[in-house]
């Protein structure tokens, strides 16, 4: 995604990047590029809606067309509520936002003029590192790299580049247009200037950022994953049904979703990747969860 503020964010098939142009407002991101995976288009949606110029970068024109259509549908849902009494204003908002969006399949060409890269591809350390290593060769010296990873170590990703001081984490939450939180992750090597820039960018796109060190799972998933796995164990032992566990947590704890609803929403494969990043801290992976992931995702779990 390439964004300007009226310029600010961009995207590549595997990364999200953002580039800032000179402005009278130092510290405000003006141009951003974000290479994203399926579903990662939501960051571009938010960036474009907040006045950024966004370039969607992905692996094929077909994927980009689907991404653009998804953004348009998302904007229609938002405007239906936001401009319920002013349909004309809603239509104008959609038109203006979509004008901020362009597409590209060339990640290297995109990163040449990027200020901020926000990667959001598959939760695989090796693949992510390979992408950052490649982009690092072509990105301007000032460009900040970030990852939207849910659980992988930001420090290890940063070590695949020559810009450890300009590397951090920007963890958005789904659905991005609705969820206000962004976890801003600072490694021991992240400079204060980079950290402050990431906090400013998060606020500029209408989010409420929280700061966290580079600890497994960061804040939310460090607490959420053990909770979800304990719910699976509770069901596995026959102590309660999935439905009753979900109802209990919604009505008793005030959660919008129960743990099983949340696992279904996030996806078992994605949940598995998140757990992989934190499993060494806890005794995770109830047998039932392993079985479900193997059956639903057709992949073998590797658990160290």
């Amino acid at each position: 995604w390439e964004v300007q503020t009226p310029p600010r964010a961009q995207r590549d098939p595997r990364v999200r990047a953002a580039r800032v142009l000179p402005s009278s407002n130092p510290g405000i991101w003006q141009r951003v590029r974000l290479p994203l995976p399926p579903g990662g288009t939501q960051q571009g949606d938010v960036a474009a809606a907040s006045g950024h110029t966004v370039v969607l970068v992905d692996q094929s024109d077909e994927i980009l067309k689907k991404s653009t259509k998804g953004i348009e549908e998302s904007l229609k849902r938002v405007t239906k509520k936001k401009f319920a009494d002013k349909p004309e204003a809603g239509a104008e908002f959609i038109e203006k936002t979509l004008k901020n969006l362009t597409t590209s399949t060339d990640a290297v060409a995109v990163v040449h003029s990027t200020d901020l890269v926000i990667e959001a591809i598959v939760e695989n350390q090796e693949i992510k590192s390979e992408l950052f290593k490649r982009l690092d060769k072509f990105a301007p010296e000032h460009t900040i790299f970030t990852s939207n990873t849910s659980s992988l170590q930001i420090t290890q990703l940063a070590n695949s580049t020559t810009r450890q001081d300009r590397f951090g984490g920007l963890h958005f939450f789904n659905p991005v247009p609705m969820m206000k939180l962004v976890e801003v992750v600072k490694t021991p090597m992240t400079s204060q200037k980079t950290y402050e820039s990431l906090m400013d960018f998060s606020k500029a796109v209408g989010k409420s950022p929280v700061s966290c060190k580079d600890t497994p799972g960061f804040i939310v998933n460090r607490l959420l994953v053990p909770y979800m796995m304990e719910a699976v164990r509770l069901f596995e032992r026959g102590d309660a049904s999935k439905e009753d566990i979900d109802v209990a947590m919604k009505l008793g704890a005030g959660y919008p979703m129960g743990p099983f609803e949340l696992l279904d929403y996030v996806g078992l494969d994605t949940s598995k990747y998140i757990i992989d990043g934190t499993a060494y801290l806890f005794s995770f992976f109830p047998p039932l969860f392993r079985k479900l992931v193997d059956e639903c995702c057709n992949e073998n779990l590797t658990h160290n």
Side-chain angles (χ1 to χ4, degrees), residues 154-258:
I154 300 296
T155 301
Q156 290 186 17
L157 296 176
N159 286 338
S160 65
T161 73
T162 60
R163 60 187 75 220
Q164 289 92 337
D165 61 322
R166 287 149 288 152
F167 205 114
L170 275 182
H171 183 212
F172 291 81
F173 290 80
N174 286 325
V176 177
M178 301 297 295
M179 302 294 281
K180 297 290 290 183
L181 182 66
V182 173
E183 290 177 324
V184 178
V185 184
K186 184 178 181 182
T187 77
M189 301 171 291
T190 305
S191 71
Q192 185 64 21
K193 181 180 179 181
T194 295
Y195 165 72
E196 291 174 358
S197 294
L198 295 179
M199 293 292 284
D200 288 344
F201 175 74
S202 300
K203 294 173 184 176
V205 296
K207 300 305 178 185
S208 298
V210 295
S211 177
C212 183
K213 291 183 178 180
D214 189 19
T215 184
F218 314 133
I219 298 173
V220 174
N221 284 323
R222 183 70 171 265
L223 299 174
L224 190 61
V225 169
Y227 154 73
M228 292 192 295
M229 291 301 95
E230 188 56 35
V232 174
R233 289 194 187 93
L234 194 65
F235 170 71
E236 199 172 44
R237 292 193 300 265
D239 295 334
S241 69
K242 298 188 297 293
E243 293 76 15
D244 282 349
I245 292 172
D246 280 347
V247 169
M249 293 310 298
K250 286 190 288 186
L251 300 185
Y255 289 7
M257 289 185 184

Side-chain angles (χ1 to χ4, degrees), residues 8-81:
R8 288 181 202 173
Q10 245 194 8
R11 128 175 198 174
D12 173 275
R14 302 196 159 213
V15 242
R16 293 177 188 164
R19 165 200 172 194
V20 181
L21 299 178
S23 76
S24 57
N25 245 337
I28 295 297
W29 295 103
Q30 297 212 336
R31 210 165 187 194
V32 183
R33 301 186 175 177
L34 319 171
L36 315 171
T41 57
Q42 292 182 351
Q43 281 81 351
D45 181 345
V46 170
S50 60
H52 296 74
T53 297
V54 178
V55 177
L56 309 183
V57 185
D58 219 314
Q59 294 170 319
S60 72
D61 290 327
E62 182 180 356
I63 294 174
L64 288 168
K65 287 179 182 177
K66 290 181 180 179
S67 297
T68 303
K69 184 177 180 180
I71 288 176
E72 186 172 359
E73 292 301 317
S74 175
L75 288 170
K76 287 179 180 178
R77 290 192 295 269
V78 170
T79 54
K80 190 174 182 180
K81 294 182 179 179

Side-chain angles (χ1 to χ4, degrees), residues 91-294:
E92 184 180 346
F93 172 76
I94 293 176
E95 183 181 0
K96 185 177 179 180
T97 300
L98 292 177
K99 282 184 179 179
N100 290 334
L101 293 170
T102 55
T103 62
S104 173
T105 56
D106 191 340
V108 171
V110 164
V111 84
H112 272 301
S113 56
T114 291
D115 294 312
L116 172 66
V117 173
I118 310 174
E119 168 275 318
I121 60 174
V122 64
E123 285 288 87
N124 181 293
Q125 187 90 39
E126 185 177 350
I127 295 175
K128 287 179 184 287
S129 294
E130 180 185 343
L131 174 63
F132 280 123
K133 185 177 181 180
R134 179 164 62 96
L135 291 177
D136 188 44
K137 297 177 181 178
F138 300 97
E141 185 178 348
H142 73 276
T143 302
I144 294 174
F145 282 10
T146 69
S147 176
N148 185 59
T149 180
S150 301
S151 58
L152 298 178
Q153 245 196 344
I154 300 296
T155 301
Q156 290 186 17
L157 296 176
N159 286 338
S160 65
T161 73
T162 60
R163 60 187 75 220
Q164 289 92 337
D165 61 322
R166 287 149 288 152
F167 205 114
L170 275 182
H171 183 212
F172 291 81
F173 290 80
N174 286 325
V176 177
M178 301 297 295
M179 302 294 281
K180 297 290 290 183
L181 182 66
V182 173
E183 290 177 324
V184 178
V185 184
K186 184 178 181 182
T187 77
M189 301 171 291
T190 305
S191 71
Q192 185 64 21
K193 181 180 179 181
T194 295
Y195 165 72
E196 291 174 358
S197 294
L198 295 179
M199 293 292 284
D200 288 344
F201 175 74
S202 300
K203 294 173 184 176
V205 296
K207 300 305 178 185
S208 298
V210 295
S211 177
C212 183
K213 291 183 178 180
D214 189 19
T215 184
F218 314 133
I219 298 173
V220 174
N221 284 323
R222 183 70 171 265
L223 299 174
L224 190 61
V225 169
Y227 154 73
M228 292 192 295
M229 291 301 95
E230 188 56 35
V232 174
R233 289 194 187 93
L234 194 65
F235 170 71
E236 199 172 44
R237 292 193 300 265
D239 295 334
S241 69
K242 298 188 297 293
E243 293 76 15
D244 282 349
I245 292 172
D246 280 347
V247 169
M249 293 310 298
K250 286 190 288 186
L251 300 185
Y255 289 7
M257 289 185 184
F260 291 98
E261 289 176 309
L262 184 57
L263 281 168
D264 283 341
Y265 180 79
V266 173
L268 293 179
D269 52 346
T270 300
S271 298
K272 178 260 183 185
Y273 284 128
I274 295 172
I275 293 168
D276 276 345
T278 56
Y280 69 91
L281 294 172
F282 310 98
S283 299
F284 281 155
F285 281 139
L288 178 60
F289 185 77
R290 285 178 182 273
K291 181 174 182 291
L292 289 173
V293 175
D294 281 336

